[in-house]
Amino acid sequence: MALWVTETHRGTMRLSFKVEETLFSGQSPYQKVDIVRTQDHGIMLLNDGLVMLSERDEFVYHEMIAHVPLFVHPDPRRVLVIGGGDGGTVREILKHLGVEQVVMVEIDEMVVSACREYIPSVSCALSNPRLELRIEDGVRYVARTREKFDVVMVDSTDPIGPATPLFNEAFYADVARILSPDGVLISQAESPFYNQDIQRPMLMNQRPFFDRLHIYLFSNLTYPGGLWSFGFASKGLCPVKDFRPERVAQSGIQTRYYNPSIHRSAFALPTFVSENLNGVIDPVENG
Amino acid sequence: MALWVTETHRGTMRLSFKVEETLFSGQSPYQKVDIVRTQDHGIMLLNDGLVMLSERDEFVYHEMIAHVPLFVHPDPRRVLVIGGGDGGTVREILKHLGVEQVVMVEIDEMVVSACREYIPSVSCALSNPRLELRIEDGVRYVARTREKFDVVMVDSTDPIGPATPLFNEAFYADVARILSPDGVLISQAESPFYNQDIQRPMLMNQRPFFDRLHIYLFSNLTYPGGLWSFGFASKGLCPVKDFRPERVAQSGIQTRYYNPSIHRSAFALPTFVSENLNGVIDPVENG
């Protein structure tokens, strides 16, 4: 018997991965959660049938969401992660020894517990004493917290299902309020090829609350089309001019995708991407 | 009835695209040639069941193979294309008005004639008077020609089937011989995620004949994993230091992916890519 797990994207393209066995399959109040062992991509997490991560390439996504803002902000001490239940984002953040506390707010306890059990290479940092893990709605958390954060990372699924409010203007207003003066917001910003209809309104919803708005790109092996993006919103910091590459070597942090050249080049946009976001995003300044 | 065309990659991952109709299907002496109309990716060419191009994203591959070397070489007049039967590479090269002649050597007449008939948006430049189109074996052509070229582009399929000799040392020795002193060789260099076993030996086979060896990256929507690469080999030119970005605007050439920022950033390599090619490729010099 040949088992394949298949993600259908927009009804017109499919990505399939050969599976050796199903490790976990559950239905939470929010979504279907599946964990499979694939033949060539390690262990894989799917929410509602969409690939969230594979062990083979998760380092790309998690290094790029975490290290880009943490090497731009001059002194990040308090970081908030919305979503990110698999723990990969937290694992990368905690490599920064100057980060004193990470608060992670994940709505779906099932994702956390399943990843703890079946994907320890990703979830390994979820018991770190510098992490405060809260199982609750991230939108409600940012609406009522009195705490401040230097960096907020929205490590969310697509704007269908439980993550939909994470793409709304009201949420971004609350994020802006809880960010420190040098604060940076990073948000999962979908595929520049396939999701232009999501990318532009998402960034438009951030625009009123941030002086600077950028997107940056990376290549994910297991997402449709490969090319993927994060939004970078700040109250003033430029992700290229204010980046201090010497801090990367000084940190001693080991990475497999991220490095200073990748940091800067990730903000170079193909012409069709910058044309689609014309008038919404700002140009980066060279350092 | 729902029709899908499916490419299986290494037996463990599959890419499928929804098809509206088959436009052409033939068996040449070299390979199976299929052209289908997809629902969301335009018309698509497949050789031996592998996606060669789709109308939706072919601009990325063809702009990146052509404009990177043509904006580094100070005065490219004569260009040789090996393969490239669909015509997309020639279409981009001929946008450079300083290019006086392009010789294209394609082994498979069926690819050329099918693309002429069914994919005119890509093959449109194949009747240009500056193009000399030869249906013959590219390996034998470079072995015996007495002509010289400023840029050679190997626009090939994978090193299985008819393209295999295009990855051999003997072929690169001949290419080096027919290149002018400032000459540049560009070669299709596969997926940095999936094809590390091809990439390193391919570049090792080029190494004896070129003073400089680099690879650069781009994102192809319809290739497995998305991230793809070209090799850049030269007798001395650095693809970043010797790049004159002002020539791009002066040329008036319209592009959808390529621009000066993309040119430079394409040579920034993820850590796992540069580690895999450690000792084979050279560092780029900043301009």
Side-chain angles (χ1 to χ4, degrees):
Chain A
M1 182 178 71
L3 280 178
W4 291 79
V5 61
T6 296
E7 167 173 348
T8 300
H9 189 67
R10 304 200 150 206
T12 61
M13 90 79 91
R14 288 178 177 160
L15 266 174
S16 308
F17 301 93
K18 198 165 188 184
V19 167
E20 291 180 342
E21 63 173 323
T22 301
L23 300 174
F24 177 85
S25 197
Q27 174 71 50
S28 81
Y30 304 101
Q31 57 204 341
K32 183 98 164 39
V33 179
D34 294 288
I35 297 179
V36 296
R37 186 192 309 279
T38 69
Q39 188 175 320
D40 207 25
H41 296 79
I43 297 172
M44 187 174 269
L45 167 70
L46 298 100
N47 290 352
D48 284 339
L50 305 181
V51 176
M52 294 293 110
L53 65 84
S54 85
E55 282 189 307
R56 180 159 178 173
D57 70 335
E58 56 82 17
F59 66 95
V60 181
Y61 180 102
H62 293 129
E63 290 180 8
M64 290 300 279
I65 194 174
H67 300 309
V68 169
L70 293 175
F71 282 122
V72 170
H73 190 286
D75 186 23
R77 291 164 187 255
R78 305 199 72 249
V79 179
L80 173 65
V81 178
I82 305 290
D86 53 73
T89 297
V90 165
R91 181 194 64 198
E92 294 303 312
I93 295 167
L94 289 171
K95 291 180 178 175
H96 293 255
L97 300 181
V99 171
E100 295 163 359
Q101 191 182 31
V102 182
V103 176
M104 175 176 143
V105 184
E106 165 63 54
I107 200 169
D108 194 344
E109 195 277 335
M110 183 179 282
V111 173
V112 175
S113 59
C115 290
R116 271 192 204 270
E117 182 160 0
Y118 295 105
I119 324 184
S121 65
V122 177
S123 61
C124 50
L126 288 177
S127 302
N128 189 296
R130 289 186 285 152
L131 172 67
E132 178 188 336
L133 171 55
R134 306 174 71 107
I135 302 296
E136 65 176 283
D137 181 344
V139 172
R140 289 162 66 176
Y141 177 83
V142 299
R144 59 142 225 275
T145 184
R146 301 281 169 222
E147 301 195 54
K148 292 280 185 184
F149 295 93
D150 300 309
V151 179
V152 174
M153 301 178 194
V154 182
D155 182 6
S156 73
T157 53
D158 303 334
I160 45 173
T164 308
L166 299 177
F167 291 77
N168 289 350
E169 189 170 321
F171 171 70
Y172 298 130
D174 285 324
V175 169
R177 182 181 52 75
I178 67 172
L179 274 174
S180 61
D182 275 337
V184 175
L185 162 66
I186 303 294
S187 39
Q188 194 274 101
E190 305 284 334
S191 159
F193 279 114
Y194 284 122
N195 302 119
Q196 300 196 347
D197 55 336
I198 295 172
Q199 230 170 34
R200 193 179 172 91
M202 175 192 133
L203 292 165
M204 290 287 281
N205 285 346
Q206 296 183 1
R207 186 75 268 188
F209 312 108
F210 294 93
D211 294 332
R212 286 186 154 276
L213 210 50
H214 305 278
I215 68 161
Y216 62 103
L217 306 180
F218 60 102
S219 279
N220 224 61
L221 187 62
T222 53
Y223 286 0
L227 188 68
W228 217 256
S229 66
F230 288 119
F232 180 108
S234 83
K235 298 184 174 182
L237 289 172
C238 171
V240 175
K241 182 171 68 69
D242 295 314
F243 170 54
R244 296 284 167 270
E246 64 277 10
R247 280 176 54 202
V248 179
Q250 287 161 4
S251 74
I253 292 173
Q254 299 293 310
T255 55
R256 294 169 62 198
Y257 186 91
Y258 178 86
N259 58 51
S261 298
I262 285 290
H263 181 120
R264 282 181 291 242
S265 66
F267 290 88
L269 302 180
T271 303
F272 79 96
V273 176
S274 49
E275 285 179 352
N276 179 53
L277 300 175
N278 188 23
V280 184
I281 58 172
D282 299 297
V284 292
E285 301 168 50
N286 288 321
Chain B
M1 183 179 69
L3 281 179
W4 292 79
V5 62
T6 296
E7 168 174 347
T8 301
H9 189 67
R10 304 200 150 207
T12 60
M13 89 77 92
R14 287 178 178 159
L15 267 173
S16 309
F17 301 92
K18 198 165 188 184
V19 166
E20 291 180 341
E21 64 174 321
T22 301
L23 299 174
F24 176 85
S25 197
Q27 174 70 50
S28 81
Y30 304 101
Q31 55 203 344
K32 184 99 167 38
V33 179
D34 293 290
I35 297 179
V36 296
R37 186 192 309 280
T38 69
Q39 188 175 321
D40 208 24
H41 297 79
I43 297 172
M44 186 174 271
L45 167 69
L46 299 100
N47 291 351
D48 284 339
L50 305 180
V51 175
M52 294 293 111
L53 66 84
S54 86
E55 283 188 308
R56 179 157 179 177
D57 70 336
E58 57 83 17
F59 66 95
V60 181
Y61 181 103
H62 293 129
E63 290 180 8
M64 290 300 278
I65 194 174
H67 299 310
V68 169
L70 293 173
F71 281 122
V72 170
H73 190 286
D75 186 23
R77 291 165 187 251
R78 306 198 70 249
V79 179
L80 173 64
V81 178
I82 305 290
D86 53 73
T89 297
V90 164
R91 181 194 66 200
E92 294 303 313
I93 296 167
L94 289 170
K95 291 179 177 175
H96 292 255
L97 299 181
V99 171
E100 295 163 359
Q101 191 183 29
V102 182
V103 177
M104 175 177 143
V105 185
E106 165 63 54
I107 201 169
D108 195 343
E109 195 279 333
M110 183 179 280
V111 173
V112 175
S113 59
C115 291
R116 272 192 202 270
E117 182 159 358
Y118 295 105
I119 323 182
S121 64
V122 177
S123 61
C124 51
L126 288 177
S127 302
N128 189 296
R130 289 187 285 149
L131 173 67
E132 178 189 336
L133 171 55
R134 307 174 71 108
I135 302 296
E136 63 177 284
D137 180 343
V139 173
R140 288 162 67 176
Y141 177 83
V142 299
R144 61 141 224 276
T145 185
R146 303 279 169 221
E147 300 196 54
K148 292 280 186 184
F149 296 93
D150 300 311
V151 179
V152 174
M153 301 177 194
V154 182
D155 182 4
S156 73
T157 52
D158 302 333
I160 44 171
T164 307
L166 299 176
F167 290 78
N168 290 349
E169 191 171 319
F171 172 70
Y172 298 131
D174 284 326
V175 169
R177 182 181 51 77
I178 67 173
L179 275 174
S180 62
D182 275 338
V184 175
L185 162 66
I186 303 295
S187 38
Q188 195 273 100
E190 305 284 333
S191 159
F193 279 114
Y194 284 123
N195 302 119
Q196 299 195 349
D197 54 337
I198 296 172
Q199 230 170 35
R200 191 178 173 92
M202 176 192 132
L203 293 165
M204 290 288 281
N205 286 346
Q206 296 182 1
R207 187 73 269 186
F209 312 108
F210 294 94
D211 294 332
R212 286 185 154 278
L213 210 50
H214 305 278
I215 69 162
Y216 62 103
L217 306 180
F218 59 102
S219 279
N220 225 61
L221 186 63
T222 53
Y223 286 180
L227 188 67
W228 217 255
S229 67
F230 288 119
F232 180 108
S234 83
K235 298 185 175 185
L237 289 173
C238 172
V240 174
K241 183 173 67 72
D242 295 314
F243 171 53
R244 296 283 166 273
E246 63 277 10
R247 281 176 53 202
V248 179
Q250 288 161 3
S251 75
I253 291 173
Q254 299 293 309
T255 55
R256 295 168 61 199
Y257 186 91
Y258 178 87
N259 57 52
S261 298
I262 285 291
H263 180 120
R264 281 181 291 242
S265 67
F267 290 88
L269 303 181
T271 302
F272 79 97
V273 177
S274 49
E275 284 179 354
N276 180 52
L277 300 175
N278 187 25
V280 184
I281 57 172
D282 300 296
V284 293
E285 302 169 49
N286 289 320

